[in-house]
Amino acid sequence: MTRERVALKRLPGLAGRCRPFAICVALCAFGFGAAAHAGAKFTVFDVPGSKGTGAQSINDNGVIAGGYEDSNNENHGFVRAADGTITTFDPSGSNLTEPASINTNGSIAGTYRDDNSVFHGFVRATNGAITPFDPSGSTGTEATSINATGDIAGYYYGEEGVSFVRASDGTITTFGHTRALDTWAYCINGKGAITGDFLTLRRQLGGWLREPDGKIRLVRPPGTVATYAYSINDTGSVAGYYSDGKVYHGYVRARDGTFTTFDPPGSVDTVAYSINAHGAIAGVFFDSSGVGHGFVRSP
């Protein structure tokens, strides 16, 4: 995994398929203040033999799902147990696998690409069984988040980007923002609230929150031009990342609206993907050589 891949992460390996790279690097400095809390502990790990490892999601038991790049520059999925044991996996027919989210039970949702270069969503059960899925009319599906009950949030492409929620019984409901060209859903919590962002008619990025009853509210931190609300836990704490115009930094937003920014030691770019109920955050950082490493940030 290279530094350049982080900007294309929302639809893996295909720049024109999602928002352009230029939009991703156009984030303004949020000015949220202090860096990481003193005394926060970081544990760095890599999949054995990998060229780069990215921790994408951590559950309340400390189990982590993510992706890694092998010596042939191919991407695969992995799950890291709380004791550090790593198991790798790929859906059948996949030539690129990117897990996105793991729930408390250990089920994993994510995306893979087939030999026809079409992207599909998948859910991996704790016994290793993998089920692919696509909303009706999808030409490319990205599953981004799974909650404790097995509900999955994500988005897909047809004529435009549309978000969806897939119930544990396989039923899929689609939705979008009325003032959006494209809508991307990133995280669903245990109560069914979903966060994400959208591209407005003026081609600006805005954040949103979809309540369990389906009502959508705008999410716009004061003074920001673009917002990434990437993960929300059941207590309402949000983790994500932002750009100061040059590099990426991680952030955590407390329920009271307080922001704390952070970077692991040696990081040039930091991307925080997931926060669990205890406030532990998992993600990927890139060093000065452009190599990606997984990290866990303790509360």
Side-chain angles (χ1 to χ4, degrees):
M1 183 177 290
T2 63
R3 286 178 58 188
E4 288 74 12
R5 281 196 51 77
V6 70
L8 306 179
K9 187 65 179 176
R10 293 209 168 84
L11 271 179
L14 195 57
R17 199 179 139 79
C18 185
R19 69 200 70 178
F21 177 79
I23 295 176
C24 293
V25 297
L27 298 175
C28 295
F30 287 178
F32 292 150
H37 288 300
K41 180 182 178 182
F42 291 90
T43 300
V44 178
F45 65 88
D46 293 282
V47 174
S50 72
K51 294 177 61 177
T53 300
Q56 186 79 4
S57 180
I58 183 171
N59 70 12
D60 295 344
N61 299 315
V63 183
I64 296 171
Y68 72 97
E69 187 174 7
D70 66 18
S71 58
N72 295 318
N73 301 320
E74 295 180 348
N75 284 63
H76 310 275
F78 76 85
V79 55
R80 179 184 185 270
D83 64 4
T85 302
I86 293 176
T87 302
T88 62
F89 66 88
D90 291 284
S92 177
S94 172
N95 59 33
L96 183 152
T97 302
E98 294 195 334
S101 179
I102 183 170
N103 68 11
T104 302
N105 298 324
S107 296
I108 299 170
T111 301
Y112 74 95
R113 184 182 65 194
D114 65 24
D115 290 335
N116 295 316
S117 297
V118 177
F119 289 83
H120 310 274
F122 75 83
V123 55
R124 180 185 186 271
T126 54
N127 63 4
I130 298 175
T131 302
F133 65 86
D134 292 281
S136 177
S138 172
T139 60
T141 302
E142 175 97 353
T144 57
S145 180
I146 183 170
N147 67 12
T149 60
D151 298 329
I152 297 171
Y155 52 91
Y156 70 97
Y157 284 83
E159 294 182 358
E160 58 185 11
V162 181
S163 293
F164 69 85
V165 55
R166 179 186 186 270
S168 57
D169 64 3
T171 303
I172 295 177
T173 301
T174 63
F175 63 92
H177 196 283
T178 56
R179 287 184 282 170
L181 293 173
D182 295 282
T183 305
W184 303 280
Y186 299 137
C187 186
I188 182 169
N189 69 10
K191 299 177 181 179
I194 301 172
T195 56
D197 54 52
F198 66 98
L199 184 64
T200 71
L201 299 177
R202 295 182 179 181
R203 298 192 175 276
Q204 296 175 330
L205 284 173
W208 53 262
L209 166 66
R210 182 180 188 267
E211 303 286 0
D213 62 5
K215 184 176 182 179
I216 297 177
R217 304 177 185 276
L218 294 181
V219 176
R220 290 179 176 173
T224 65
V225 175
T227 305
Y228 294 95
Y230 210 91
S231 180
I232 182 171
N233 64 14
D234 289 349
T235 66
S237 294
V238 177
Y241 60 96
Y242 71 98
S243 171
D244 61 10
K246 297 180 181 179
V247 298
Y248 291 94
H249 307 280
Y251 76 83
V252 57
R253 178 189 183 276
R255 186 174 182 179
D256 64 3
T258 304
F259 285 89
T260 300
T261 66
F262 62 86
D263 294 281
S267 173
V268 175
D269 285 293
T270 302
V271 178
Y273 282 127
S274 182
I275 183 170
N276 70 11
H278 307 298
I281 298 171
V284 56
F285 75 90
F286 298 87
D287 61 27
S288 58
S289 298
V291 176
H293 308 276
F295 75 83
V296 181
R297 180 186 186 273
S298 70

